[in-house]
C-alpha cells in the first residue's frame, strides 16, 4: 500500500480541487513560494501562480474576512492561518460573520469557505503557538469542524470541506504533518463529514478521540490488549457534524468510555461529548466517563514540561485501566 | 460625471424612500412594533443615494448597523425590509436578522452588519472575488467615522491597496460613534488623510451634497473598474436622530442638530429641481405622496405578514442540517 | 430588606473600589457621560472625571490591550466591552496576552484586571448581540470567570475581582441589569471567588446553574415542589474557580443533576461540568445528567423565535421531570 | 542629543552583547540544545541599542518574537536569558516561556511576544498607566514592518495619539515579514507616513546608524516625557539570518544580504571610535574578548542550570491557584 504524509494528503486535496474547480484558491501568510510555515502548500504556487496561491499581509482579520467576502461572492476560498492560536485575531470574522451570515440572512447565502488551522503542541513553540482550540469553534452554530488524523482522511475530508456550502474549520495537527500513513489510492476520494471511523475494533472500552491522539489511543490499546482489555478506538474525524450513531453503537457495545483530546481538559470539546453520553446513553454505562486531555495550564516551553502537560498514550492506558479496577 | 435629469429624479426618489422609510421605522419603534435596536439614517440620505447611483445591479455593497439607507439605495425591496424590521416571515431574513442584518445577495447587498467595522474585511473579499474573476464589478464599502479606528479598517484598506482591489471605501462621517465625538475618538479631522497610509487616493467631501457624493464615488468606481485600485472617500454628514432610537443624545452640544438640519440634503435637491426646471413643486409633492404610499404599502405588508413558525428557528444554520428542537 | 438592581450592584462595587483605591479606573466605549450602553456606569464619570472613567474609540483590541498593559504596569483597570459578542475582536489580548502572561513569564507578573462583558439574549438584538460565550473563556487557563445572578453577588464578586491579581472575566447578564433583588447591607462586601451559593435547598434533584437561569431554575423549582419534587438550586457564581465541593455535596445528596445555562448547548460550559460529574461522581448518580441550554442556532431576531431558542423555566421543569418518569 | 563617549562605549558594548548572544543562540540551536523557534536579531543591533540608550531603568518597552536584542539593550541579564532559551529552571521564565516570552518587569521589559503586533496594544496600556500616574516615564514599543498591517498597530497608534500617551513606536523595517517583502505586504515605502493617519510625528531613519536611532528616539522620548504624545519612528534595517533558524531564505534576491552586511552597524561604530580616538583597536579587541567571556558564562550558566521540575508546570497559571496534575 502507498504511504503518504498528512501534509501531502492536505496538499493533494488542495491541488486536486484547484485543478478541477477554477473557483478554488488558497491564501494566507507565506503560503506561496515559501510553501507555508509547515510546508503544506509547497509547490502549489509554482503550479497555480500568484492569483490562486496568494501570500497575504499579517492581518488575520483580513484573511478570514477575505474568505467570507469572496465566498459570499461565489469563490471557494481556502484560507490558512499560520497557527490556530492566531484565530484570536480573526475570530470576529469567523464567529460573527462566517458562522452567522446564512442564518441572519434567512438562509439566502452560501459560504463555501475552508479555514485551515494548524493546531497542537509538541514542537517547543510555547503558550502562544501550541494551543488546541477546537472547543471554541464547535461551540459556534453555523461552523463545521473537521480534524483528520491521517493522510487518507485529510485528503478525503478536505475534498468534501472545499465543496461544502458552509464554513468549515479544518483543523490540522502540526505534529502529524510529517506522519506517513497507508493510503488506499482507490479510496482517495471525498469522505462525507460526520462519519467517524473505527480505527480499531474492541469490546471492553470505547476510546473516543481524533487527531494526533488517535495514534496514542492505538498505542494504548495495544498495551491494554496485552493485559486482556480489548479497546475500541473511534476516530471522530468530524467534530461537527458529529457521528452520534457511531458513538452510541460503541458505547452500547463496551459500556465504558474514555474520551481523549489534546485540548486542555477544562472546557474541552470532549466534555461536551461526555455530557451527551451522560445525558443520552447513561443507562448504557457501567463506569465513570473518563477524559484525558492536556493539563489546565498554558503549554510551557521546556521540552519536559511540554510533554508533561500534553496527554500521551500512557495517560490513556492508565485512564482505561482505572475503569477496570 | 454627467448626471441626466432622469438619474437625478431617481436619486431624489431614493432619498425620499429612505427618509420616509426611516420615519416610519421611528414611529413603529415608538409604538413598540419593532423589537431590538434601530439605527436611523435620517440626515445622511445623500451619501448612500449618491454612492449607489454610481453602481450597477451586479456591483456589491457592504453596509453597517445603520444600513437601511444603503440597502434602499442599492435597490432593496421596501416591503421585505419593513417586514424584516417587524420580525415577520416575509422579511428579507424570515425574521431571523432584523434591522441590523438585512441582505439581498441578488442585488449585491452583502448585508447590514451589527459588528462595527466588519464590512471592511468582507468588502475586500468581495473585491478579491471580482478581481479573481476579472469582471469589471466593484464593491462599495460603507462605514462610519468611528469604525475607522477599528482593526478591520486598517487591515481592509491595506489589503485592498496592496492587491489593488476594486473597492470604494465610503466613510460616512457623522461626527460621532454613539456618544463619542470624532475629536475624542481620533486625533485627525479629515479621515481621508488615512488614505495615504495605504498609498491610495483619499478625498473629503460634503456628504449632504448629493452631486458631490455621486461625482466622487463615480470617479472612484471608474478607477476601480479599470483596475486602478481602491479609493477612500469621506462624506461629512450628520445623523439627526440619536445613535439608536431611545438615545437621548445628552452628548450633543446645543444647536448642533439645528445647524445640520439646515443642510438637509433633500431640500437642497428640490431647490435645484425648481431652479433648473427639472421638477415643479407640484411634481415634487406628487412624488412625495407616491413614496408615502409605498411606505404605507410596506407597512401593511409587514403588518400582514405572518410571524415566522417556531420550527423555522432550526433552519438555515447550515445549508444541509436542520438543528434539533426541544420539547417544551 | 433593601432592594437593589443588578446594575446598581455592579456600579456600587466600582464606585466603592474607585473611592478606596486610586489605581482603579474604568474604560470602554461610551462608559463616560453616556453612562454605558446599558447605563451601568451612570454617574461614575461625574464623580471621578475623565481620567478615571474613560471613553475609548471603538477598538476592542486596544481596550483589552490597554487593560493588560496598564495592569502589567500597576493599575487595576476595569475594562468594559459593550457586548460580550465583541470579545471576538479583542480575543487575542485576552487569550494570548492576559491569560498567558504570568505563566509565560514564569510567574513574575501580576495582572489585576477585570473585563466586564454584558451577555445573553432576550432584547431582540439578534445573532451578533445576544451570545453567551463563557465556555470560551472558562476553557482558557489563566483566566478567572465570574457570573453573578443578583445585586448582592454582583457587588461582592466584583469587589473581589477588582483586587484579584489575575485577569477576571466578569460576565453580566443584560436582562438582569434592571432586576431588583434583596440586598443585605451588612453583607455588602467582597465575596470570595469559587464559592457557590445554594439559592434553594432541596433533596431530590440538583439544578446547577448561574446568571439569569438561576431565576428560571427557582421558578421551575416552585412548580416542581407542587408536584412533590424537591429541587435544590445551586448558583455557581464563579465558573472558574468552580466550587467542586458544593457540586459534589449537592449531587451526593440528590443523585440527580440538571445543568442549565443560556449558552447554546453544544460546547456549553455546562458540558464540562456534566463531564466532571460523570467522571468523578458517577456512582452518586441514579439518572442521566440532563442539560438545558439554548438551541444550537444563532439567536434569531423575531421575539418569538428568540424566546423559542433561549431556555426558560418550563424547559428546566420538563428536564427535571424527565428524570422522575 | 549629546552623547558622551562613555555612553557611546556603553552602546557599543550592548551591540556586541547582542551580536554575540545571537551567534551563540544560533550555534546552540544548530546543536539541538535550544528547542522551539529562534528568531535572531543579527544585523539590527543599532535599533534596540540606540533606542534603549535613550531610556531610564524605570521606562518600559514592549518587544516581539525577535526580542533578544531589545531585552539585552534594556538591561536584561544574559545568564537568565540564555538559560531561558535552553528551557532551564534558572531562566527568566523558569523554562516556561522560551525565546519568545522573555520578560523582566523590574527592568520595565513587558515581554517578548509570539503574537505579531501584540506589543502595540500592551504599550498603550503601559502609556496609560504612566499618564494616569503622572510620572515622566515612557514606553518604547518595538515592532517589525510586517506587523504594521496588523490590527493592533492601527488601534494602538490611534489610541496613543488621541490620548496623547507617552509611547514611542519604533518600527524595525527589515524589509520582510517572513518571506513576504514589504512591497508585497503594503503599498507604501516609508512606514513613517502612517503617522499622519493619527496626526502624530513620523520619521524614517537609517536603522543601522546607531547615532541616528539614538537621536531620533531620544527626541521622541523627550516629547513623550513632556506630555506631548507619541511618535512613530521607522528604522530601515535588515536581518542577516533567516526569519527563524532553519529558514532557507529562498525569497531573498541574490546579493541583498551581502549589500546589507556592508552596512553592519557594529564596524561603523568601531570606525568612529578609531577615527575620533574614543577607543583604540586594542581596546576594542579587549572589549570583544570580555563580551565573549560573558557569553561563555551565560552559556555555562544555562547548561548548568537544572531542568525545571515537572510539578513547576502546574504553578504560575494563577497567583493563587496551583493546578492539579495527573497520575502518570
Ligand atoms: C465591534 C463593535 N464594537 C462596538 C459596537 C457597538 N456600536 C454599535 S454602532 C457604534 C458606533 C458606530 O459609530 P460609527 O462607525 O461612526 O457609525 P454611526 O453609528 O455613527 O453611523 C458602536 C460603538 C459594535 N456594534 N461592534
Ligand atoms: C498574529 C500573528 N500572525 C502571524 C504570526 C507568524 N509570524 C511570526 S513573525 C512573522 C513575521 C513578522 O514580520 P515583522 O513584523 O516584519 O517582524 P520581523 O520578523 O521581520 O522582525 C509572522 C508572520 C504570528 N506570530 N502572530
Ligand atoms: Mg459616526
Ligand atoms: Mg520585518
Amino acid at each position: 500500500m502507498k504511504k503518504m504524509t498528512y501534509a501531502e494528503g492536505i496538499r493533494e486535496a488542495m491541488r486536486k480541487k484547484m485543478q478541477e474547480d477554477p473557483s478554488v484558491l488558497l491564501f494566507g501568510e507565506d503560503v506561496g513560494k515559501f510553501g507555508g510555515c509547515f510546508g503544506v502548500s509547497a509547490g502549489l504556487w509554482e503550479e497555480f501562480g500568484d492569483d490562486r496561491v496568494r501570500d497575504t499581509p499579517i492581518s488575520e482579520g483580513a484573511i478570514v474576512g477575505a474568505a467570507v467576502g469572496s465566498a459570499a461572492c461565489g469563490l471557494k476560498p481556502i484560507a490558512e492561518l499560520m497557527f490556530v492560536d492566531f484565530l484570536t485575531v480573526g475570530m470576529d470574522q469567523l464567529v460573527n460573520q462566517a458562522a452567522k451570515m446564512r442564518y441572519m440572512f434567512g438562509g439566502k447565502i452560501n459560504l463555501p469557505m475552508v479555514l485551515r488551522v494548524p493546531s497542537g503542541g509538541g514542537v517547543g513553540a510555547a503558550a502562544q503557538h501550541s494551543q488546541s482550540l477546537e472547543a471554541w469553534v464547535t461551540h459556534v452554530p453555523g461552523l463545521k469542524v473537521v480534524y483528520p488524523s491521517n493522510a487518507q482522511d485529510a485528503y478525503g475530508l478536505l475534498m468534501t470541506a472545499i465543496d461544502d456550502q458552509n464554513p468549515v474549520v479544518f483543523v490540522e495537527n502540526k505534529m502529524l504533518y510529517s506522519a506517513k500513513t497507508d493510503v488506499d489510492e482507490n479510496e482517495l476520494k471525498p469522505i462525507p463529514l460526520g462519519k467517524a471511523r473505527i480505527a480499531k475494533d474492541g469490546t471492553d472500552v470505547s476510546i473516543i478521540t481524533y487527531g494526533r491522539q488517535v495514534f496514542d489511543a492505538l498505542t494504548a490499546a495495544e498495551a491494554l490488549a496485552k493485559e486482556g482489555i480489548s479497546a475500541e478506538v473511534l476516530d471522530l474525524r468530524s467534530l461537527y457534524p458529529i457521528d452520534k450513531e457511531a458513538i452510541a453503537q460503541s458505547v452500547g457495545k463496551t459500556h465504558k468510555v474514555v474520551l481523549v483530546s489534546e485540548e486542555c481538559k477544562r472546557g474541552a470539546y470532549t466534555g461536551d461529548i461526555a455530557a451527551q453520553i451522560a445525558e443520552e446513553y447513561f443507562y448504557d454505562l457501567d463506569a465513570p466517563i473518563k477524559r484525558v486531555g492536556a493539563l489546565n495550564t498554558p503549554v510551557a516551553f521546556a521540552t519536559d514540561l511540554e510533554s508533561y502537560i500534553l496527554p500521551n498514550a500512557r495517560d490513556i492506558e492508565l485512564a482505561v485501566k482505572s475503569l477496570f479496577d | 460625471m454627467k448626471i441626466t435629469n432622469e438619474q437625478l429624479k431617481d436619486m431624489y426618489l431614493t432619498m425620499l424612500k429612505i427618509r420616509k422609510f426611516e420615519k416610519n421605522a421611528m414611529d413603529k419603534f415608538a409604538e413598540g412594533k419593532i423589537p431590538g435596536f434601530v439605527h436611523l439614517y435620517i440626515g445622511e440620505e445623500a451619501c448612500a443615494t449618491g454612492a449607489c447611483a454610481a453602481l450597477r445591479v451586479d456591483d456589491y455593497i457592504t453596509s453597517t448597523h445603520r444600513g437601511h439607507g444603503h440597502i434602499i439605495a442599492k435597490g432593496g425591496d421596501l416591503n421585505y425590509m419593513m417586514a424584516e424590521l417587524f420580525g415577520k416571515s416575509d422579511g428579507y431574513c424570515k425574521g431571523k436578522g432584523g434591522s441590523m442584518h438585512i441582505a439581498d445577495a441578488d442585488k449585491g447587498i452583502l448585508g447590514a452588519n451589527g459588528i462595527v467595522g466588519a464590512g471592511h474585511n468582507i468588502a475586500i473579499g468581495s473585491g478579491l472575488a471580482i478581481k479573481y474573476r476579472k469582471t469589471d464589478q466593484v464593491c462599495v464599502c460603507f462605514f462610519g467615522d468611528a469604525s475607522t479606528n477599528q482593526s478591520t479598517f486598517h487591515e481592509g484598506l491595506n489589503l485592498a491597496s496592496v492587491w489593488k482591489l476594486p473597492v470604494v471605501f465610503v466613510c460616512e462621517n457623522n461626527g460621532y460613534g454613539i456618544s463619542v465625538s470624532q475629536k475624542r475618538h481620533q486625533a485627525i479631522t479629515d479621515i481621508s488623510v488615512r488614505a495615504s497610509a495605504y498609498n491610495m487616493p483619499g478625498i473629503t467631501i460634503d456628504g449632504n451634497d448629493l452631486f458631490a457624493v455621486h461625482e466622487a464615488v463615480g470617479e472612484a468606481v471608474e478607477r476601480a473598474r479599470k483596475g486602478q485600485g481602491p479609493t477612500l472617500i469621506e462624506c461629512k454628514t450628520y445623523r439627526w436622530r440619536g445613535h439608536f432610537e431611545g438615545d437621548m443624545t445628552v452628548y450633543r452640544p446645543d444647536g448642533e442638530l439645528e445647524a445640520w438640519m439646515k443642510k438637509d440634503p433633500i431640500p437642497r435637491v428640490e431647490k435645484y429641481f425648481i431652479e433648473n426646471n427639472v421638477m415643479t413643486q407640484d411634481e415634487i409633492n406628487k412624488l412625495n405622496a407616491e413614496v408615502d404610499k409605498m411606505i404605507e404599502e410596506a407597512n401593511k405588508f409587514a403588518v400582514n405578514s405572518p410571524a415566522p413558525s417556531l420550527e423555522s428557528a432550526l433552519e438555515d444554520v447550515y445549508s444541509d442540517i436542520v438543528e434539533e428542537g426541544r420539547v417544551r
Side-chain angles (χ1 to χ4, degrees), chain B residues 233-247:
Chain B
I233 298 169
E234 177 194 19
C235 305
K236 304 266 197 203
T237 184
Y238 197 79
R239 66 166 151 76
W240 290 11
R241 304 286 305 164
H243 170 71
F244 39 48
E245 289 305 284
D247 166 12

Side-chain angles (χ1 to χ4, degrees), chain A residues 255-276:
Chain A
H255 313 297
K256 287 185 178 59
V257 182
V258 175
L259 288 150
V260 188
S261 78
E262 194 179 316
E263 309 159 280
C264 80
K265 191 169 168 182
R266 182 169 79 245
Y269 185 53
T270 52
D272 194 65
I273 305 172
Q276 274 187 49

